[in-house]
Amino acid sequence: MKLKLALPKGWLQGHTAGLLDKMGLGLDGYHEKSRLYRPESREFPGLFVKVFHEKDIATQIAIGNYDIGICGLDWVDELLIRYPSDAILKIRNLGYGHGTVYAAVSRFSETAIEKLKACNRMIRIVSEYPNLAESYALGLRMRQFKVLPVLGAAEVYPPENADIVIIAETSEKELYERGLLSIDTVGITDAYLIANRDRLEQVDMSGLLKLFSKESAVKQTLSRHSRKTAPTVWKKTDDSVIRLALPDGHQQSPTIDLFKRAGVNMRGYRQGEPVSRPRVEIDNLVAKVIRPQDMPLQVANDSFDLAVTGQDWLFDHLYKFPSSPVEEILDLGYGKVKIVAVVHNDMPVNNLSDLKKMMKSGRLAHIRVASEYVNIADKYVRDNHLAPYRIIPTWGASESFLPEDADLLIENIDTGATLAKNNLKVIDIIMESSACIIGNKNAKRAGIAYVLEMLKKGCLS
Amino acid sequence: MKIPRCKGTRDLLPGDMAKFRYIESVFRDKCLQSGYREVRTPTLEYLHLFTSAGTLTPEMLGRVYSFLDWDGWSGERVVLRPDGTIPVTRLYGEHLMGTSPAKLFYVENIFTFEGTGEDARERWECGVELIGSSGYIADVELVMLAVSVLKQLNFDNIEVRLSHAGLIEALLKEVGSAELLQKVLEGYSDALNEVQGNKPELAKQLGLLLSLKGKSKGFLENLRAILPAIGTTFDELTRVTELLTALGCNYNIHLASGLGFEYYTGTIFQLYCMGQKLGGGGRYDELIPLLSDNSTPAAGFALYVDHIMDLMSSFKPMEAVNEAVLIKPVSGSIDNVKSCFELCGLLHEAGFIAELDFGRNDESRCRWILVASGDLFDLSDRYNDKKFHKLTGKEAFEKLEESR
């Protein structure tokens, strides 16, 4: 049986590739910019290597799908603080990726931790690490708090939309430059070699482990962010102000076009160099740039009045919270994708009916379903009686899960080229999605209608 | 496909349920006789109820079953009730504020994650809360009520272990670390050695305290003489011991029994039998003020139903089924089955246990067997070996009435 190694993509990828190269692992197709999911080792033909999003690696090691892996200690702690397990062994600090998970507040509304602990109002904590955030609040014995999980751009939320942010950064100086002030430390982000306990106790992996011990750990700090954002705060947030959430990532470019067509000037919202709070030249309107995935939850919580996101993320939110006050206000028509059910080409099924038959016959006793759209995936398999099933939440690179680590993938596709490249096929179309503007049914702020009218003009022109 | 039950849970089979209901009925009767009234709180509560109380440790809160509800987009989590007392104090604040005293009891399940799989994640408690009464008499009433329930359940040699939150607090001030004190009181020699390293005199005194288990008011005075730092923190406990002695209740003063929940502010007691902890409680005067800004003293206890059931291995439920009637239709025709249903209904109204036989019933569980042909019945009394033939439904009913 092959040894299985899980490697990170993203910010640790370059240094991890460098380390493995120095160790003489001879990995083809794993370097700083590579996008191959299954690099092969010339020196260790008995090694199966797969590349995951860093957040997924701790889970893959804990459940025993992989024997050893490399990821930041922050993600190991994020998993273990909620799901205590002795299945993961932290073998060795690899010396790079050094950083700290801070509890921080906005430097524009500096608040001492003691004051936050003692206050009687609800403390809002935003983080990409919701489990660490909850544990932090419980440890401090905060009386009333709520944790708002986000997929990114956590630094943008304080002070208007959160009181505390739990965030990883390389130093307090870097944190300060992003507009935040450390009030506590919650963990570290150093890259670690981790292993599954059972496999380490049962399988000889000494050849590989020796290579890791030969390389001495030299503390190296990597930059976590390719861009800096100019820290500011909204100047005005009273009830007359409309709060707009703008997307980062691939939705940014068509959104810029939309505003241009609507005749609205924007400053600081250019592709590749965004700021956290761009200026949109509409009276009494303030804006922030956050992840489209996080927008429905933020609009539901009245942090924003309007947001430019995708229908896919709106549905994913509504499937989890059916009575949420978020609704689609305007279909923008661009950014069209299909949400589809996908299997590996080797699986002898061509449609949903074939998959059901395969499960009924017992040839597939239970089904593992990987997706970034956890709630859409859950509803899909439930509605179609594909049981027993297990949902595997992913953080990206989802197509790499098939066929070894999942049987079915719920994914969005544009042209389908990525699926074809990864030897995958679509067996069902679940829904079509395009960019849209969402709002809160209960919002009463005057001026929302005016902003929508302007954007409608942009859609029509 | 066989799907097992969730880890850390248990199924209660008919024999277990007979025990459960018996414990519950003894507990309910005792509480009602003492003027307590039954309440039930929801299984789901907001996590904030328990964080706001500020009295469950972060370790305990880290093991609650918490999740986002279907409308939990605000980030507000709900929990499966991890404790019985805090929800009842919430209920008091919401519905009964001003009722003094509010004497309440409940039979409820509580949920806490347990990682080893050896212990239960769902446990049942018979709990009592006496809200609005302060002082040692209320504390003693609770101890005596708990003991009387256990005695009624045939437990002998019940050990009541007494401690006091003030005593634990005073020791904590001296030792400096709650974790270290817990280990010292639980008897870990390494922990005592650690205290020895920093404060040798304190370690000597603690060692001495731990080797003693007092059974009188005098013992408490001796404790004060050995460790003056504890001062007058537990005068109330002295009065509790005096009254318990006068009532003939056996007790031990046992320092370590005060560990655990942080919401206790006064007398703390635990109940043991055959080395098994069957329940515990104490005074928590600061809990209601924390949750509702209303200064109301309170105390309570809970009996652990699962532990009590485990110790009731020789319990034999009343086998009412031995007095049962089994009615067997012969032909299965509509008329034949109809007459069986009618007689069965008549017997239920008269208070008999009567069941229809669908072909697989165990006759040995029933005293009487009625075999129906058409609308006539043959009756067998298996206890007295008597048989009666071709009775009408009315005659069969009368024979049964005569012979029971």
Side-chain angles (χ1 to χ4, degrees):
Chain A
M1 196 174 170
K2 283 190 166 187
L3 268 184
K4 294 172 82 179
L5 169 66
L7 295 178
K9 61 179 280 196
W11 79 303
L12 293 178
Q13 191 170 337
H15 273 72
T16 306
L19 175 75
L20 300 179
D21 197 39
K22 260 169 75 186
M23 284 165 45
L25 207 61
L27 268 192
D28 287 333
Y30 184 68
H31 52 81
E32 190 169 6
K33 305 274 182 205
S34 64
R35 302 187 69 175
L36 200 64
Y37 291 128
R38 293 172 187 78
E40 288 181 4
S41 169
R42 292 187 304 276
E43 303 302 322
F44 283 82
L47 185 67
F48 176 78
V49 183
K50 196 187 265 193
V51 179
F52 289 97
H53 192 289
E54 194 194 348
K55 289 186 190 180
D56 291 320
I57 289 177
T59 310
Q60 290 297 324
I61 300 295
I63 61 180
N65 272 359
Y66 287 77
D67 306 315
I68 50 176
I70 293 173
C71 69
L73 197 59
D74 44 344
W75 297 115
V76 179
D77 290 343
E78 168 68 4
L79 178 75
L80 296 185
I81 200 87
R82 177 81 183 164
Y83 307 106
S85 160
D86 60 359
I88 297 183
L89 289 173
K90 300 167 190 170
I91 306 277
R92 187 174 155 77
N93 187 334
L94 297 172
Y96 54 92
H98 178 64
T100 304
V101 181
Y102 293 100
V105 293
S106 165
R107 75 185 209 212
F108 301 100
S109 64
E110 198 175 311
T111 312
I113 190 69
E114 289 308 319
K115 203 172 159 193
L116 281 171
K117 266 172 67 180
C119 82
N120 275 331
R121 68 175 173 85
M122 183 73 78
I123 304 295
R124 302 160 301 167
I125 308 173
V126 68
S127 186
E128 282 184 71
Y129 307 94
N131 301 335
L132 286 174
E134 181 169 301
S135 169
Y136 176 70
L138 290 177
L140 284 181
R141 298 189 162 215
M142 279 185 190
R143 294 276 162 92
Q144 289 202 61
F145 65 89
K146 62 181 180 185
V147 174
L148 298 168
V150 292
L151 289 180
E155 72 281 3
V156 184
Y157 291 85
E160 301 93 346
N161 312 118
D163 303 294
I164 298 178
V165 56
I166 306 293
I167 192 167
E169 196 40 276
T170 46
S171 68
E172 290 196 18
K173 184 172 166 281
E174 293 273 323
L175 197 67
Y176 188 82
E177 283 172 6
R178 296 169 78 191
L180 300 170
L181 196 68
S182 164
I183 52 171
D184 215 340
T185 55
V186 177
I188 60 168
T189 67
D190 300 28
Y192 254 74
L193 178 68
I194 58 173
N196 177 276
R197 179 186 289 274
D198 283 350
R199 296 286 292 163
L200 194 79
E201 285 173 354
Q202 289 162 19
V203 178
D204 181 0
M205 47 181 95
S206 57
L208 195 56
L209 292 174
K210 271 182 203 158
L211 288 180
F212 276 103
S213 8
K214 273 204 301 193
E215 288 306 321
S216 58
V218 180
K219 220 173 194 182
Q220 264 182 306
T221 301
L222 307 177
S223 174
R224 294 187 71 88
H225 308 280
S226 56
R227 60 185 164 89
K228 295 279 184 291
T229 54
T232 52
V233 282
W234 283 339
K235 290 198 171 62
K236 205 174 154 193
T237 52
D238 62 49
D239 284 354
S240 67
V241 173
I242 307 300
R243 300 154 303 166
L244 172 69
L246 292 167
D248 62 2
H250 69 275
Q251 276 199 24
Q252 195 176 351
S253 176
T255 306
I256 293 168
D257 289 345
L258 170 75
F259 277 78
K260 204 180 273 176
R261 288 198 306 274
V264 178
N265 286 328
M266 299 169 99
R267 272 197 263 162
Y269 188 57
R270 286 186 296 274
Q271 188 78 39
E273 41 177 301
V275 291
S276 54
R277 293 168 180 80
R279 275 193 64 185
V280 180
E281 292 187 348
I282 297 178
D283 284 347
N284 276 339
L285 185 137
V286 290
K288 272 190 194 184
V289 181
I290 62 171
R291 293 280 156 90
Q293 297 94 316
D294 296 326
M295 288 179 184
L297 196 68
Q298 292 300 322
V299 172
N301 278 301
D302 195 32
S303 291
F304 295 90
D305 303 298
L306 298 170
V308 180
T309 183
Q311 288 164 335
D312 46 355
W313 295 116
L314 174 61
F315 277 106
D316 198 62
H317 169 79
L318 291 176
Y319 288 161
K320 184 168 186 181
F321 303 118
S323 57
S324 166
V326 183
E327 62 181 357
E328 179 183 317
I329 301 180
L330 184 60
D331 184 348
L332 296 172
Y334 60 77
K336 283 187 190 296
V337 289
K338 286 178 184 150
I339 311 300
V340 292
V342 173
V343 296
H344 194 264
N345 270 330
D346 289 346
M347 189 184 260
V349 298
N350 291 313
N351 50 46
L352 179 62
S353 168
D354 289 348
L355 184 61
K356 284 183 179 176
K357 278 182 204 151
M358 192 176 177
M359 290 200 74
K360 208 171 176 185
S361 71
R363 282 178 293 141
L364 186 61
H366 64 272
I367 189 162
R368 300 163 301 166
V369 187
S371 188
E372 283 183 78
Y373 301 106
V374 172
N375 306 303
I376 292 175
D378 193 38
K379 185 174 187 309
Y380 179 73
V381 288
R382 211 172 53 227
D383 288 355
N384 287 297
H385 310 292
L386 297 170
Y389 69 90
R390 187 170 288 185
I391 301 289
I392 304 166
T394 66
W395 305 96
S398 308
E399 56 273 16
S400 74
F401 278 72
L402 299 183
E404 302 90 357
D405 305 311
D407 308 298
L408 184 70
L409 174 66
I410 306 299
E411 181 68 317
N412 71 57
I413 57 164
D414 181 8
T415 61
T418 310
L419 293 190
K421 203 171 130 194
N422 285 285
N423 205 15
L424 307 176
K425 62 184 171 189
V426 174
I427 59 162
D428 198 9
I429 296 171
I430 301 171
M431 66 171 75
E432 295 194 352
S433 165
S434 57
C436 65
I437 292 186
I438 57 170
N440 189 319
K441 286 173 198 165
N442 305 323
K444 290 189 180 75
R445 295 189 183 217
I448 292 179
Y450 172 72
V451 176
L452 284 172
E453 273 313 306
M454 297 206 67
L455 294 176
K456 267 183 201 165
K457 255 195 273 171
C459 282
L460 295 172
S461 63
Chain B
M1 182 176 45
K2 195 175 168 188
I3 300 172
R5 67 180 189 276
C6 279
K7 274 183 207 163
T9 60
R10 70 190 281 190
D11 291 319
L12 296 179
L13 300 177
D16 301 320
M17 277 311 297
K19 264 190 218 176
F20 183 99
R21 292 294 184 211
Y22 178 63
I23 295 164
E24 187 183 44
S25 68
V26 167
F27 171 73
R28 289 185 80 251
D29 289 349
K30 285 283 178 194
C31 289
L32 291 168
Q33 283 166 1
S34 305
Y36 288 81
R37 293 180 300 156
E38 188 166 14
V39 290
R40 182 159 289 176
T41 61
T43 307
L44 287 181
E45 297 274 7
Y46 289 117
L47 174 62
H48 293 145
L49 173 65
F50 300 93
T51 55
S52 296
T55 46
L56 295 186
T57 61
E59 290 71 31
M60 285 183 78
L61 287 168
R63 287 185 288 122
V64 301
Y65 283 91
S66 75
F67 52 94
L68 292 174
D69 207 344
W70 289 101
D71 58 358
W73 61 83
S74 68
E76 185 157 52
R77 297 179 87 84
V78 290
V79 296
L80 297 182
R81 174 182 51 217
D83 169 79
T85 296
I86 294 174
V88 171
T89 56
R90 197 253 324 126
L91 171 148
Y92 172 80
E94 205 169 320
H95 303 283
L96 302 172
M97 190 67 91
T99 312
S100 187
K103 299 174 78 175
L104 308 172
F105 75 92
Y106 55 89
V107 180
E108 287 183 347
N109 48 354
I110 59 169
F111 302 85
T112 322
F113 177 73
E114 192 280 325
T116 65
E118 289 166 10
D119 209 350
R121 296 177 185 181
E122 178 189 15
R123 288 172 287 131
W124 284 87
E125 287 188 351
C126 288
V128 169
E129 312 298 343
L130 176 48
I131 300 172
S133 287
S134 59
Y136 71 103
I137 300 174
D139 294 348
V140 169
E141 167 166 309
L142 290 167
V143 174
M144 296 305 287
L145 178 57
V147 169
S148 74
V149 173
L150 292 176
K151 278 191 175 159
Q152 182 78 42
L153 290 168
N154 281 333
F155 286 101
D156 295 324
N157 304 319
I158 301 156
E159 187 191 349
V160 178
R161 294 182 185 176
L162 294 174
S163 185
H164 193 279
L167 185 59
I168 302 290
E169 210 172 295
L171 290 176
L172 183 58
K173 266 189 200 151
E174 293 294 307
V175 174
S177 150
E179 200 182 339
L180 185 59
L181 176 63
Q182 171 141 359
K183 284 188 176 159
V184 168
L185 295 182
E186 282 172 354
Y188 288 97
S189 53
D190 287 356
L192 197 56
N193 290 341
E194 198 180 325
V195 179
Q196 171 86 31
N198 299 326
K199 299 179 179 175
E201 192 53 35
L202 178 64
K204 257 189 230 164
Q205 292 163 345
L206 281 172
L208 191 58
L209 290 180
L210 288 173
S211 67
L212 298 170
K213 281 182 188 166
K215 297 186 178 197
S216 67
K217 175 194 165 192
F219 173 71
L220 286 171
E221 296 305 327
N222 295 341
L223 282 187
R224 221 192 301 266
I226 294 168
L227 193 63
I230 58 181
T232 56
T233 50
F234 55 88
D235 283 350
E236 210 170 52
L237 184 59
T238 310
R239 286 192 283 275
V240 168
T241 56
E242 278 180 306
L243 186 50
L244 286 177
T245 305
L247 292 168
C249 176
N250 288 324
Y251 63 87
N252 275 321
I253 296 158
H254 196 283
L255 297 184
S257 67
L259 293 169
F261 289 95
E262 294 186 13
Y263 51 61
Y264 291 132
T265 55
T267 300
I268 301 169
F269 64 94
Q270 295 184 339
L271 301 142
Y272 278 80
C273 188
M274 292 184 267
Q276 175 82 277
K277 188 175 168 185
L278 300 185
R283 175 153 293 284
Y284 53 91
D285 288 346
E286 285 166 17
L287 186 55
I288 294 174
L290 268 170
L291 292 172
S292 64
D293 298 328
N294 189 298
S295 172
T296 307
F301 72 83
L303 295 175
Y304 309 149
V305 178
D306 307 84
H307 292 185
I308 293 171
M309 284 171 69
D310 290 343
L311 288 191
M312 288 173 64
S313 52
S314 59
F315 173 77
K316 289 270 180 290
M318 298 252 293
E319 280 291 341
V321 284
N322 286 339
E323 292 291 311
V325 184
L326 184 66
I327 306 171
K328 299 159 75 91
V330 169
S331 72
S333 69
I334 294 290
D335 285 344
N336 181 221
V337 176
K338 175 176 167 270
S339 58
C340 292
F341 266 105
E342 283 172 351
L343 181 55
C344 197
L346 208 59
L347 290 168
H348 287 165
E349 279 175 27
F352 281 91
I353 294 169
E355 55 181 308
L356 291 175
D357 185 2
F358 302 109
R360 283 199 278 279
N361 286 46
D362 177 9
E363 289 186 10
S364 67
R365 291 167 57 242
C366 301
R367 175 178 169 182
W368 293 290
I369 311 294
L370 275 163
V371 179
S373 310
D375 57 359
L376 295 178
F377 296 86
D378 291 340
L379 173 64
S380 310
D381 181 346
R382 294 178 55 253
Y383 281 12
N384 300 316
D385 202 20
K386 282 185 182 170
K387 290 193 172 150
F388 307 92
H389 297 286
K390 295 197 173 170
L391 304 173
T392 63
K394 187 168 175 265
E395 288 166 342
F397 176 76
E398 284 166 0
K399 283 280 179 212
L400 285 164
E401 279 281 39
E402 277 168 29
S403 56
R404 78 163 165 175

